[in-house]
Amino acid sequence: LVPQQQGPEGLPWQGAQMTLPNAASLVATRLQAASMGTLGTDIFIGAEQPSISTGVPAAAIFCVATGGPAQDDFCGDAPHGINMQRVQVVVRGAVEDPETVFTKARNVWDALHLCTITNVLRCATQQSGPVDMGKNDQEQPRWSINLELWAQV
């Protein structure tokens, strides 16, 4: 899946020497590298999608760029500043197995907190662990992990 909507949070942003892709894409790629799943199979970029007849499995991870504050320039017209992007990761699982969903969410949190991503100065989770989102309309348990990614621009 690709993001259904591209807002300011989905636009490319500048890294130290290159343009970074959508922050959600960076997080999804990091999760695949950490063996949390496979992009396009059970890791998706964009909002949570239903698992009824869409080809999206019940157990899936969704990475959504949620924006961030305006760029912070260090010294007025200085050529470098800091850009922060926020990403929400939603870990969803099977109706009959909520404990496995929590374990997967905890593993995702562990894989992302203070991880290394090329051209990102800092990637940090915003809570001390996954946050219970309750069940969706298909009664599937969900947990969220909120991140901030910081890059020099």
Side-chain angles (χ1 to χ4, degrees), residues 95-118:
V95 173
E96 66 279 356
D97 200 4
E99 194 60 37
T100 298
V101 183
F102 172 75
T103 300
K104 179 75 167 196
R106 186 65 207 196
N107 290 339
V108 166
W109 188 95
D110 290 342
L112 293 173
H113 184 61
L114 301 179
C115 70
T116 300
I117 298 176
T118 301

Side-chain angles (χ1 to χ4, degrees), residues 19-99:
T19 300
L20 292 175
N22 179 324
S25 176
L26 293 173
V27 171
T29 301
R30 174 68 182 106
L31 289 172
Q32 178 173 273
S35 301
M36 294 292 113
T38 303
L39 281 166
T41 301
D42 55 1
I43 298 175
F44 301 96
I45 300 166
E48 181 181 2
Q49 300 294 313
S51 60
I52 297 176
S53 71
T54 62
V56 176
I61 299 171
F62 303 92
C63 301
V64 181
T66 59
Q71 177 179 321
D72 181 19
D73 294 320
F74 285 139
C75 299
D77 294 330
H80 299 292
I82 295 291
N83 183 288
M84 187 269 285
Q85 295 286 313
R86 291 185 181 107
V87 175
Q88 182 177 56
V89 177
V90 175
V91 180
R92 179 181 77 194
V95 173
E96 66 279 356
D97 200 4
E99 194 60 37

Side-chain angles (χ1 to χ4, degrees), residues 11-21 71 81-83 119 150-153:
L11 297 175
W13 41 296
Q14 298 294 315
Q17 296 184 352
M18 65 177 286
T19 300
L20 292 175
Q71 177 179 321
I82 295 291
N83 183 288
N119 292 314
W150 295 80
Q152 182 177 351
V153 291

